[in-house]
């Protein structure tokens, strides 16, 4: 199982980035996929989850709702995170992970054991 993120970089506040996560080693469409981020000096934070197969169900952390959009292309074994209206507080390393979190409560803090596989992460820096 391998997950490889790409698309991170430096962007000005208000700008946009699209992250990609290429999956291999498993039947991609059979799994929900999740994005998690880690700001400098802070813990992991759940960002978004998209359901398996059709990707018709998507969920977002409150602070990302309306700015971020998760999608998937099962033919390309890829999950995307379109990030618009970026803020300095969006700075961090963004990880994709296989599976769905155990809950979606606002107090949920991701743990490494919550997901069967993680990517290596891609750095996003929002700064002027």
């Amino acid at each position: 199982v391998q997950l490889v993120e790409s698309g991170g970089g430096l962007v000005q506040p208000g700008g946009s980035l699209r992250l990609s996560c290429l999956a291999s080693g498993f039947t991609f469409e059979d799994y929900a996929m999740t994005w998690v981020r880690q700001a400098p000096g802070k813990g992991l934070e759940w960002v978004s989850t998209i359901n398996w197969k059709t990707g018709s169900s998507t969920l977002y952390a409150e602070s990302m709702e309306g700015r971020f959009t998760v999608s998937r292309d099962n033919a390309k074994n890829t999950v995307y995170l379109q990030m618009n209206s970026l803020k300095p507080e969006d700075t961090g390393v963004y990880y994709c992970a296989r599976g769905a979190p155990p809950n979606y409560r606002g107090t949920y803090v991701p743990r490494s054991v919550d997901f069967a596989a993680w990517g290596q992460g891609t750095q996003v820096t929002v700064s002027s």
Side-chain angles (χ1 to χ4, degrees), residues 9-21:
L10 174 64
V11 63
Q12 292 187 339
S16 299
L17 281 175
R18 187 176 83 154
L19 307 183
S20 300
C21 172

Side-chain angles (χ1 to χ4, degrees), residues 35-47 89-95 118 122-124:
W35 287 95
V36 173
R37 71 184 184 186
Q38 186 168 29
K42 297 188 177 180
L44 296 174
E45 179 183 19
W46 173 68
V47 173
E89 52 264 42
D90 294 317
T91 294
V93 178
Y94 285 70
Y95 301 92
W118 293 76
T122 187
Q123 176 71 45
V124 171

Side-chain angles (χ1 to χ4, degrees), residues 18-64:
R18 187 176 83 154
L19 307 183
S20 300
C21 172
L22 176 62
S24 61
F26 63 99
T27 305
F28 178 71
E29 67 177 10
D30 287 348
Y31 291 88
M33 296 296 294
T34 292
W35 287 95
V36 173
R37 71 184 184 186
Q38 186 168 29
K42 297 188 177 180
L44 296 174
E45 179 183 19
W46 173 68
V47 173
S48 179
T49 297
I50 185 167
N51 71 324
W52 65 311
K53 294 292 187 186
T54 64
S56 59
S57 177
T58 57
L59 292 168
Y60 302 92
E62 184 174 354
S63 63
M64 294 81 164

